[in-house]
């Protein structure tokens, strides 16, 4: 079975990019080990600190963030990192060619219940010319040179694209190597599965309310087929299901808090997942435009997300064309 790095070498990925991905896999193996130790690792539960996003951090978020940050900043090929858990970007003393944005531990509320969590990463080229500081990171998702996630579930898997196919590597715990277990993810165009946090229904806008209402009517409604629902409370796990067998995932605009109408972060969650989904044949939109076309204005920007099986995403976007974008 092919290992991660030789697989990348075989398709002419540059050594500098391979080295960045190697650093991420080293951190991921360590995070995986600690997660699989569970309570034995003494890292479960919340710290007293609140992170930048105003959510209670779990100790393992801190550990995962520190690991990725330290290792990436030591890499000669990384110029700067942006993390969901950091207020600002951190510039490396090295003058590498790449910028890495990451969510160190997505779905952290699942840690305490032994549910799936993940690391999401996005690799950008450092822009030439004038750009410096945070503005270096403000590139649209379509500019990513690589994106991926590691899902820590019953097995630890890395799903990765360097702009070509989407490959899945499974961590062989006996030898400590990620081995290629799926050459090419292909998301079916149609689906009968959707993922949304239904408990937010009363807060949604008209487009999503009407779309979901039609799905729920099943065979008796306009869609004339029955749908099933899944929700992991960890985007990595929901996207992994979609990469594996199709489906639709959405975290839409909602009116609960006008200062924070979206939950998911563009640079750490939406853009890397959108690249993977598109490269696997699916679609990804905010309801009004392709997610990969959005140019971030802030490193911690949040966005509406609809992604998955192409036909289903198009259907959902159709409902948005009937209703103006909420403010
Ligand atoms: P955390 O990483 O802060 O736990 O958030 C996870 C997440 O951003 C995303 O992975 C999930 O899809 C979503 O939040 C779950 O949100 P709900 O709390 O609405 O289930």
């Amino acid at each position: 079975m092919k290992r991660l790095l030789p697989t990348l070498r075989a398709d002419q990925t540059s050594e500098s990019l391979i080295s960045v991905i190697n650093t991420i896999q080293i951190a991921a193996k360590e995070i995986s080990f600690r997660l699989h130790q569970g309570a034995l690792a003494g890292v479960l539960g919340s710290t007293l600190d609140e992170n930048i996003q105003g959510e209670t951090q779990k100790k393992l978020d801190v550990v995962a963030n520190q690991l990725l940050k330290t290792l990436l900043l030591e890499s000669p090929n990384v110029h700067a990192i942006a993390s969901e858990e950091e207020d600002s970007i951190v510039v490396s003393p090295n003058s590498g060619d790449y910028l890495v944005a990451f969510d160190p531990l997505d779905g952290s509320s699942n840690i305490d219940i032994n549910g799936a969590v993940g690391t999401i990463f996005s690799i950008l080229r450092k822009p030439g010319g004038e750009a410096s500081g945070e503005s270096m990171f403000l590139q649209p998702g379509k500019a990513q040179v690589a994106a991926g996630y590691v899902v820590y579930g019953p097995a630890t898997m890395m799903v990765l694209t360097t702009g070509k196919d989407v490959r899945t590597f499974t961590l062989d715990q006996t030898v400590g190597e990620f081995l290629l277990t799926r050459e090419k993810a292909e998301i079916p165009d149609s689906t009968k599965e959707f993922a949304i946090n239904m408990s937010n229904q009363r807060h949604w806008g008209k487009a999503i309310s009407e779309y979901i209402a039609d799905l729920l009517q099943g065979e008796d409604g306009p869609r004339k087929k029955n749908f099933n629902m899944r929700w992991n409370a960890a985007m990595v796990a929901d996207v992994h299901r979609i990469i594996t067998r199709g489906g639709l995932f959405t975290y839409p605009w909602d009116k609960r808090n006008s200062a924070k109408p979206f939950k998911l972060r563009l640079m750490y969650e939406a853009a890397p997942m959108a690249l993977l989904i598109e490269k696997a044949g699916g679609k990804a939109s905010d309801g009004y435009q392709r997610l990969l076309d959005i140019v971030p204005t802030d490193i911690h920007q949040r966005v509406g997300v609809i992604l998955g099986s192409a036909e289903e995403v198009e259907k959902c976007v159709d409902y948005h064309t009937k209703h103006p974008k909420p403010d």
Side-chain angles (χ1 to χ4, degrees):
M1 248 180 204
K2 290 190 212 153
R3 287 175 295 133
L4 174 61
L5 302 189
T7 308
L8 295 175
R9 276 195 190 103
D11 59 19
Q12 267 73 61
T13 307
S14 73
E15 280 303 320
S16 54
L17 181 57
I18 290 178
S19 142
V20 178
I21 294 168
N22 186 36
T23 303
I24 294 169
Q25 70 143 345
I26 292 169
K29 285 179 198 171
E30 179 66 26
I31 296 166
S32 175
F33 173 75
R34 293 186 191 217
L35 278 164
H36 285 116
Q37 289 288 93
L40 300 175
V43 289
L44 293 181
S46 304
T47 60
L48 295 176
D49 298 332
E50 293 247 311
N51 71 0
I52 164 89
Q53 311 286 352
E55 297 146 1
T56 306
Q57 270 188 341
K58 304 288 172 182
K59 278 186 189 166
L60 209 53
D61 296 20
V62 180
V63 172
N65 185 52
Q66 201 58 46
L67 263 168
L68 279 157
K69 180 176 156 185
T70 306
L71 293 177
L72 285 167
L73 292 175
E74 279 170 4
S75 161
N77 298 294
V78 174
H79 178 63
I81 60 116
S83 164
E84 192 209 300
E85 303 291 341
E86 302 280 335
D87 294 3
S88 323
I89 67 159
V90 186
V91 178
S92 157
N94 303 317
S95 54
D97 289 335
Y98 296 104
L99 309 172
V100 185
F102 57 85
D103 180 350
L105 214 53
D106 174 70
S108 51
S109 66
N110 279 355
I111 298 172
D112 290 345
I113 59 155
N114 197 21
V117 291
T119 297
I120 310 173
F121 56 93
S122 159
I123 306 178
L124 295 159
R125 205 175 289 285
K126 181 181 122 191
E130 299 292 286
S132 66
E134 289 197 1
S135 68
M136 295 185 296
F137 280 88
L138 305 181
Q139 304 182 37
K142 63 187 172 197
Q144 294 170 100
V145 292
Y149 62 79
V150 180
V151 57
Y152 311 100
T156 294
M157 292 179 167
M158 180 186 282
V159 176
L160 173 71
T161 181
T162 53
K164 298 173 194 136
D165 293 340
V166 176
R167 294 180 170 126
T168 304
F169 300 86
T170 302
L171 182 61
D172 181 338
Q173 310 276 358
T174 56
V175 294
E177 290 279 358
F178 279 102
L179 303 179
L180 182 64
T181 45
R182 193 177 179 201
E183 280 276 1
K184 186 174 162 61
E186 284 174 296
I187 300 173
D189 286 343
S190 66
T191 183
K192 290 181 169 184
E193 256 175 2
F194 68 95
I196 191 167
N197 184 342
M198 283 295 297
S199 69
N200 297 330
Q201 187 172 23
R202 70 192 184 284
H203 308 297
W204 297 337
K206 280 194 175 140
I208 282 292
S209 297
E210 287 176 14
Y211 168 70
I212 296 292
D214 285 351
L215 299 191
L216 295 179
Q217 286 184 63
E219 285 177 347
D220 304 331
R223 299 300 305 277
K224 301 205 175 335
K225 62 177 179 180
N226 293 328
F227 283 80
N228 198 0
M229 198 197 86
R230 291 283 180 268
W231 187 249
N232 278 289
M235 187 191 195
V236 167
D238 283 313
V239 169
H240 190 64
R241 185 184 58 256
I242 291 169
I243 291 273
T244 308
R245 67 173 189 221
L248 177 129
F249 168 92
T250 180
Y251 212 114
W253 176 94
D254 77 46
K255 62 176 186 313
R256 264 174 300 177
N257 175 355
S258 58
K260 198 179 120 181
F262 302 111
K263 172 144 192 186
L264 302 182
R265 296 78 170 173
L266 177 56
M267 280 180 32
Y268 316 111
E269 292 168 315
M273 292 311 202
L275 189 70
L276 290 164
I277 291 286
E278 284 204 5
K279 292 293 172 192
K283 289 204 164 175
S285 166
D286 73 345
Y288 301 91
Q289 63 177 322
R290 185 180 170 227
L291 278 173
L292 292 177
D293 287 337
I294 300 175
V295 183
T297 52
D298 180 293
I299 58 165
H300 293 301
Q301 184 173 335
R302 297 171 189 263
V303 69
V305 173
I306 304 161
L307 56 78
S309 292
E311 283 174 13
E312 203 52 46
V313 173
E314 280 165 17
K315 284 255 182 325
C316 183
V317 168
D318 283 349
Y319 288 73
H320 289 73
T321 56
K322 285 184 233 148
H323 296 287
K325 196 173 182 178
D327 294 328

